[in-house]
Amino acid sequence: MKAERAPNTLYLDQSRDELQSLAATFALSIEALREKLGRAEEAGMSAVCALGVAPLVGVRIGWLVAIMGVEEGWAEDWLGDAVTLSIVQRDVVAGRWRVHKLLGEYLRGHTDAEAATARMDAWVLERLPEAPDETRGARWGELQVEHDAVAEWVAGLDGARAVVGGRVGYDYAFVSGPYAAWLGAVARGLAATTDARARSDLLWHQGNLARQAGDLDLTVQAAKLKGEHDDAQGWDREVALAAGLRADVLQDRGQLDEALRIRREEQLPVYERLGDVRRKAITLGQIADVLQARGQLDEALTIRREEQLPVYERLGDVRAKAITLGQIADVHQARGQLDEALTIRREEELPVYERLGDLRGKAATMGQIADVLQARGQLDEALRIRRRRSSPSTSDSATCAPRPSPWARSPTCSRRADSSTRPSRIRREEELPVYERLGDVRGKAVTLGKIADVLQARGQLDEALRIRREEELPVYERLGDVRSKAVTMGKIADVLQARGQLDEALRIRREEELPVYERLGDVQAKAVTMGKIADVLQRRGQLDEALRIRREEQLPVYERLGDVRGKAVTMGKIADILHAPGTARRGPHHSAGGAAPRLRAPRRRA
């Protein structure tokens, strides 16, 4: 009697039959293509079959021609023949060509796959480097229109290819993402190489990309491994850079005292010992950043003026000097000294970037000028600037902790633009086009967010909401930037709240903002979000819960951080609840039988 087959064996036989049938179909199509190509059969077959290594999502003609290794005219002719025989599929709307996965495997067996892969890699690698500015926009633009295909290419990098891609692609990856794919390639590169310099670079890239993706635990891990690795090599400067990355994470998480200790005790002495006056000046600037975050504006200003600026003047580094002047203007702006800030931006900072032909620096400064103009109520002029130039900031909310910069190793790295978002006419006419020219999708998204801020301030809520949802949010989702996505969701909630859609605003705060900041360990951003939740509850009349949040979840954070302004604002809002008409609230700060203490009279809030 014949033994019965197991069901999975039957399915395997069916699958094998289908594959054999497909292989026969492929062979017929390939033979038909040979006949069509005629005298060009050998070159044409090799070129068409090279598409077996191309990303399955499909690529445009420029990258396609490189993979095929022929002139564009021949490529288009042969592709046309391949399309008629269904060997290649063409998406006319997207302008891409692709082959089916199974057919791709078949084609790779009929060409020099290694040579085709090398041509495919070369096309991407020559477009990845960050500098110079005048060519980067066009190069990165070609990669960005192939975003899905590049992501697939990155996901396929392994061995030596992952080492090269992870090192060369860092600047592009930082701006364009997707972070998950690039982090995977960097990890595979680390697993594939024992070269000391390559490992140091890859650990640095892993730490900064992970920070950008919101994976601060991986950032700390990479920074520690880099520190240990570079210490074993005797590379003191690299060890100090790794320490600085740990300080960045601590600063993100609101642990300012420890961040300050690392800057002062683990970084500064190294640069002093090495005689690296430039890096010492940069670290002093980072110390000033922490002091400024703690509200110690006078001390921060003293460092900028007396310890940073003279170094760059002595070195003749006009760009670094301009950046520092801009940071001094930041302090003036934080103190409300808008005229002084505007004078520095226009007369001392902007002319330097114009003279250097630094589009990024000029765009950033124009954006900050727009910020000042908006703060002065000149919304139309600010919006004009936003639309013409784009700023290279990487964060557009005061609730966001400082972000890492892909230029962090450079002593002339661009400073982060003021995190407060005040878009204006300047944004559309003087900021936005620069981002587009530089191929900086993140910068463009940030500027669009600032434009939405202006529209929101003018009461144009529908258009502001459309920009947030359709033009800003998709960029951060594509990048895998969880922090910027959470910030943008918070701004969408702001608009919904202004329109009276309190339930949806509250849902976003609780389900899409708060969990991100908790996961990141960003105590300040979490406190700000809890305050906004309390705002909604207060509007809904849930005063007890709003009061509890203010007292138990906001106030202690600001006291711990030394955030004088945040504490004062929260105390004011507590007073508003306590003195709400017709209420006499009780809470943990009240005496057992006494009335609520009078913190201050209700006031009109700016």
Side-chain angles (χ1 to χ4, degrees):
M1 189 171 109
K2 205 170 183 180
E4 288 187 14
R5 290 184 179 180
N8 59 339
T9 306
L10 180 62
Y11 294 147
L12 284 173
D13 285 350
Q14 287 177 334
S15 179
R16 191 178 297 112
D17 290 343
E18 288 171 3
L19 289 175
Q20 287 174 348
S21 176
L22 281 172
T25 305
F26 294 160
L28 287 173
S29 297
I30 293 296
E31 285 308 311
L33 180 61
R34 289 185 192 279
E35 291 180 15
K36 268 184 171 289
L37 294 174
R39 286 183 298 176
E41 178 257 331
E42 185 177 347
M45 287 301 301
S46 177
V48 172
C49 290
L51 298 181
V53 307
L56 296 174
V57 294
V59 296
R60 293 169 182 262
I61 191 66
W63 197 1
L64 206 67
V65 166
I67 294 169
M68 294 173 74
V70 296
E71 294 179 6
E72 187 170 329
W74 284 110
E76 288 180 336
D77 287 347
W78 295 336
L79 284 170
D81 293 337
V83 167
T84 61
L85 294 168
S86 300
I87 295 173
V88 176
Q89 299 169 345
R90 185 181 182 188
D91 182 339
V92 178
V93 176
R96 292 185 175 88
W97 284 262
R98 61 183 292 272
V99 297
H100 188 275
K101 181 179 180 179
L102 293 176
L103 181 55
E105 293 174 4
Y106 184 88
L107 294 177
R108 285 196 293 276
H110 291 74
T111 190
D112 185 342
E114 188 175 336
T117 300
R119 293 194 298 269
M120 174 174 66
D121 291 355
W123 186 89
V124 181
L125 291 171
E126 70 185 23
R127 285 159 176 78
L128 285 174
E130 193 267 340
D133 280 355
E134 59 268 19
T135 66
R136 185 182 61 236
R139 287 187 285 107
W140 285 9
E142 287 185 78
L143 295 176
Q144 284 157 356
V145 297
E146 300 278 15
H147 180 81
D148 292 338
V150 169
E152 187 180 325
W153 174 81
V154 173
L157 295 177
D158 59 6
R161 294 174 68 218
V163 176
V164 174
R167 295 179 80 182
V168 176
Y170 170 61
D171 294 307
Y172 175 82
F174 194 94
V175 168
S176 304
Y179 299 131
W182 283 101
L183 282 168
V186 169
R188 292 190 296 276
L190 282 166
T193 184
T194 56
D195 180 80
R197 177 53 66 183
R199 289 190 63 79
S200 178
D201 289 346
L202 289 171
L203 286 166
W204 174 256
H205 296 173
Q206 184 180 56
N208 279 291
L209 289 174
R211 185 178 174 218
Q212 196 73 351
D215 190 345
L216 298 189
D217 290 337
L218 179 57
T219 302
V220 172
Q221 177 187 321
K224 286 180 177 177
L225 289 174
K226 176 177 169 59
E228 293 166 2
H229 171 276
D230 293 340
D231 186 46
Q233 306 300 319
W235 297 340
D236 290 347
R237 184 178 180 278
E238 295 294 322
V239 173
L241 282 172
L245 186 53
R246 284 191 290 114
D248 289 337
V249 174
L250 292 167
Q251 198 166 333
D252 286 349
R253 289 175 165 167
Q255 297 170 256
L256 302 184
D257 290 341
E258 180 61 10
L260 199 57
R261 185 199 66 75
I262 289 174
R263 302 286 189 208
R264 285 173 166 163
E265 297 178 16
E266 296 186 41
Q267 286 189 276
L268 212 54
V270 171
Y271 301 132
E272 287 172 339
R273 190 170 69 250
L274 294 174
D276 189 340
V277 291
R278 184 187 297 279
R279 180 52 66 176
K280 178 185 173 183
I282 290 170
T283 306
L284 284 166
Q286 291 168 327
I287 289 170
D289 289 339
V290 177
L291 296 172
Q292 197 166 329
R294 284 166 43 162
Q296 297 171 250
L297 300 184
D298 290 340
E299 195 173 342
L301 192 59
T302 298
I303 290 174
R304 305 281 191 211
R305 282 176 167 163
E306 298 179 13
E307 299 192 68
Q308 268 193 291
L309 208 56
V311 171
Y312 298 133
E313 287 173 339
R314 245 185 354 261
L315 293 172
D317 190 338
V318 291
R319 179 181 275 107
K321 179 183 174 183
I323 289 169
T324 307
L325 284 166
Q327 290 169 327
I328 290 170
D330 291 340
V331 177
H332 285 303
Q333 197 164 332
R335 291 161 129 184
Q337 299 167 311
L338 301 184
D339 290 340
E340 291 88 338
L342 194 59
T343 298
I344 290 172
R345 305 274 191 220
R346 282 176 164 165
E347 298 178 14
E348 298 188 70
E349 200 181 356
L350 194 61
V352 172
Y353 297 129
E354 288 174 336
R355 196 163 62 245
L356 293 172
D358 183 343
L359 294 178
R360 181 181 293 275
K362 183 179 176 184
T365 307
M366 290 304 297
Q368 288 157 339
I369 288 170
D371 288 342
V372 178
L373 294 173
Q374 185 174 344
R376 287 165 55 163
Q378 298 171 252
L379 299 184
D380 288 340
E381 179 60 13
L383 192 57
R384 183 189 66 77
I385 291 175
R386 301 288 187 210
R387 284 171 171 159
R388 285 183 56 193
R389 273 205 218 327
S390 106
S391 151
S393 67
T394 56
S395 171
D396 76 331
S397 171
T399 66
C400 264
R403 313 284 288 154
S405 167
W407 306 280
R409 274 186 164 175
S410 166
T412 58
C413 61
S414 295
R415 102 184 147 275
R416 300 179 189 95
D418 182 8
S419 60
S420 54
T421 54
R422 312 178 185 99
S424 23
R425 237 180 4 119
I426 299 174
R427 300 251 189 238
R428 288 199 192 272
E429 297 178 18
E430 298 196 41
E431 280 190 273
L432 218 47
V434 172
Y435 267 146
E436 289 165 351
R437 276 206 307 280
L438 292 177
D440 189 341
V441 292
R442 172 183 298 282
K444 181 180 176 183
V446 170
T447 302
L448 284 166
K450 292 185 176 185
I451 289 170
D453 288 337
V454 173
L455 296 171
Q456 190 170 335
R458 295 162 88 178
Q460 297 171 256
L461 301 184
D462 290 341
E463 179 61 9
L465 193 60
R466 186 199 65 76
I467 289 173
R468 302 274 189 222
R469 284 174 165 166
E470 298 176 17
E471 298 189 66
E472 195 181 0
L473 198 61
V475 172
Y476 299 132
E477 288 174 337
R478 196 165 66 244
L479 289 171
D481 185 341
V482 292
R483 183 190 296 270
S484 295
K485 180 184 174 183
V487 171
T488 306
M489 289 304 299
K491 293 192 172 190
I492 288 171
D494 290 339
V495 177
L496 296 173
Q497 193 168 331
R499 283 163 47 157
Q501 296 171 255
L502 301 186
D503 290 342
E504 179 60 10
L506 192 59
R507 186 198 66 76
I508 289 173
R509 303 282 189 211
R510 285 173 165 164
E511 297 177 16
E512 303 195 55
E513 264 195 288
L514 205 57
V516 173
Y517 299 134
E518 287 173 338
R519 199 163 62 246
L520 293 173
D522 190 335
V523 291
Q524 186 169 28
K526 180 184 174 183
V528 170
T529 305
M530 289 304 299
K532 292 184 176 183
I533 288 172
D535 289 339
V536 176
L537 296 173
Q538 194 168 337
R539 282 187 62 179
R540 287 165 56 162
Q542 296 170 257
L543 302 184
D544 288 331
E545 179 60 9
L547 187 61
R548 185 197 66 76
I549 289 172
R550 304 280 189 212
R551 283 175 162 166
E552 298 176 18
E553 302 194 55
Q554 268 195 293
L555 205 55
V557 173
Y558 295 134
E559 287 172 340
R560 196 163 64 247
L561 293 174
D563 185 341
V564 180
R565 183 183 180 280
K567 180 181 175 182
V569 170
T570 305
M571 289 297 292
K573 292 190 175 187
I574 289 172
D576 286 343
I577 297 174
L578 293 173
H579 296 111
T583 62
R585 315 224 58 80
R586 296 167 61 86
H589 295 281
H590 296 192
S591 60
R598 183 176 179 80
L599 299 182
R600 61 167 179 74
R603 84 272 189 249
R604 181 171 60 83
R605 200 176 295 111

